[in-house]
Amino acid sequence: MAPRAAAPPNNKPTNQLDEGLGRTSTSSIMSAEEVAKAFVQHFYQAFDTDVNSVAGLYSAQSMLTFEGTQVQGTQPIIEKLRSVGPVSHTVKTIDIQPSKDTTAIVIFVTGAVTIGGGNPLHFCEFFHLVGTGPGQYYVHNDVFRLNYGL
C-alpha cells in the first residue's frame, strides 16, 4: 500500500471524514470497507446532530437526488437536507463496493429515519465517494429515497 501524504503544516485533518475519524493524513491507508463504514457512521451522526456539519463532505461537483429532486453543489445540497427538518437515522445495512476507478467507493445504506419526532420511516441511500488524494474523499453522488409500503 502507498503511504499517505504528509500532514499539512498546521497538522489539522485534511477533510471532515478524517476529522470524524480522529485521523490525520499521516495515518495508514484504510481499505474501501473501512472508509465506507467510517463514512456512514460519521455522516449520519453529523447529519443528526447538525446538518450544516456535513457540508465539508460535498463539493461544487456533488449531486444529490432526494426523493426524485436533483440539486448540485454544496450549498443547494445542504439547503435541501436542512429543509427536511430535525432527523434521527438508524442504519440497518451497509453494502460496499469499490468503483471502476480505484479511488472511488460506492455505498448503499438502508435503515430507518425519524423526521421531526414522528414515526420511523424506512429509507435507502446510495453514496458515490470519490478520492481527492490519499485517504481523502468527497461525496460525488448521493441518492436518497424513503421506502413506503407497497
Side-chain angles (χ1 to χ4, degrees):
M1 290 195 270
R4 291 175 61 134
N10 61 9
N11 203 27
K12 290 185 180 176
T14 55
N15 64 28
Q16 279 196 336
L17 182 55
D18 281 344
E19 183 178 302
L21 297 172
R23 296 175 186 263
T24 63
S25 57
T26 57
S27 301
S28 63
I29 293 178
M30 299 168 65
S31 71
E33 186 170 338
E34 290 172 318
V35 169
K37 287 180 178 178
F39 167 79
V40 168
Q41 179 182 6
H42 175 70
F43 179 84
Y44 291 112
Q45 181 180 18
F47 189 169
D48 294 354
T49 303
D50 176 13
V51 70
N52 296 310
S53 67
V54 300
L57 299 174
Y58 294 95
S59 77
Q61 296 81 29
S62 298
M63 180 168 282
L64 167 70
T65 301
F66 188 92
E67 289 289 303
T69 301
Q70 288 187 343
V71 293
Q72 185 170 10
T74 303
Q75 277 312 114
I77 289 171
I78 296 306
E79 289 170 16
K80 181 63 180 172
L81 297 177
R82 192 181 306 121
S83 74
V84 176
V87 296
S88 176
H89 294 85
T90 302
V91 172
K92 303 246 189 230
T93 65
I94 305 170
D95 294 303
I96 304 155
Q97 293 182 353
S99 187
K100 181 178 185 233
D101 181 341
T102 58
T103 65
I105 302 168
V106 295
I107 307 167
F108 184 74
V109 179
T110 65
V113 60
T114 302
I115 302 170
N119 291 326
L121 301 167
H122 295 283
F123 78 92
C124 59
E125 191 160 14
F126 169 88
F127 297 98
H128 181 212
L129 303 184
V130 174
T132 59
Q136 300 174 24
Y137 297 85
Y138 77 97
V139 178
H140 187 72
N141 301 95
D142 181 351
V143 180
F144 177 91
R145 279 279 179 187
L146 291 170
N147 301 91
Y148 301 104
L150 300 175

